[in-house]
Amino acid sequence: MGCIFCKIVSGEIPSDKVYEDEKILAFRDLNPEAPQHVLIIPKVHLTSISEATDEHIELLGYMQIKIAEIAKKLGVDQSGFRIVANTGDEGGQTVHHLHYHLLGGRFMQWPPG
Ligand code: AMP
């Protein structure tokens, strides 16, 4: 399969890992939009949140909790951070493997534009 994030999971494509366990992987974005910009992905291929079903409830909950831990590890848990899941074409998703962007280390404007 041609999924770039599946290739990162398998190690075929290298990544700057921040956290890894049997369910998820977190690695630094190649083109950071903030001093701290990490992508958190499930190891199993799931295209986006739009394709999530009841069978993913545990995994998605797990990811939220781990994101909080990763934010702490990055030192942005107290200052604040943003998590974003671009979904589908109009949502700005370019890699079609579910991922949360964790952005921190600077003030985040709202609305994002
Ligand atoms: P999105 O546009 O929300 O689908 O986000 C995809 C993100 O993946 C972008 O921010 C890219 O910079 C990032 N990206 C693409 N390829 C890689 C890679 N090989 N390693 C790290 N980040 C990547």
Side-chain angles (χ1 to χ4, degrees):
M1 204 162 77
C3 174
I4 190 170
F5 285 178
C6 284
K7 288 181 180 168
I8 286 177
V9 169
S10 71
E12 197 179 327
I13 293 176
S15 65
D16 185 358
K17 290 178 192 174
V18 170
Y19 176 83
E20 180 172 20
D21 64 26
E22 71 283 4
K23 293 193 180 90
I24 67 166
L25 178 63
F27 54 95
R28 294 195 178 277
D29 196 292
L30 213 50
N31 299 297
E33 298 287 347
Q36 298 290 351
H37 187 173
V38 167
L39 301 172
I40 298 97
I41 68 171
K43 286 191 167 178
V44 294
H45 184 85
L46 176 61
T47 304
S48 77
I49 207 81
S50 288
E51 274 70 46
T53 65
D54 283 0
E55 80 179 74
H56 301 109
I57 288 172
E58 193 183 328
L59 175 64
L60 294 177
Y62 184 81
M63 290 182 76
Q64 311 302 308
I65 303 306
K66 289 296 167 185
I67 285 170
E69 281 182 29
I70 292 163
K72 200 168 186 174
K73 191 172 177 180
L74 296 173
V76 297
D77 58 313
Q78 296 300 312
S79 51
F81 59 93
R82 178 171 293 168
I83 48 174
V84 177
N86 296 328
T87 304
D89 290 341
E90 290 197 1
Q93 186 175 11
T94 59
V95 177
H96 297 280
H97 180 128
L98 173 69
H99 53 282
Y100 291 97
H101 295 257
L102 189 164
L103 299 141
R106 68 167 170 81
F107 189 84
M108 296 292 149
Q109 301 291 337
W110 190 264

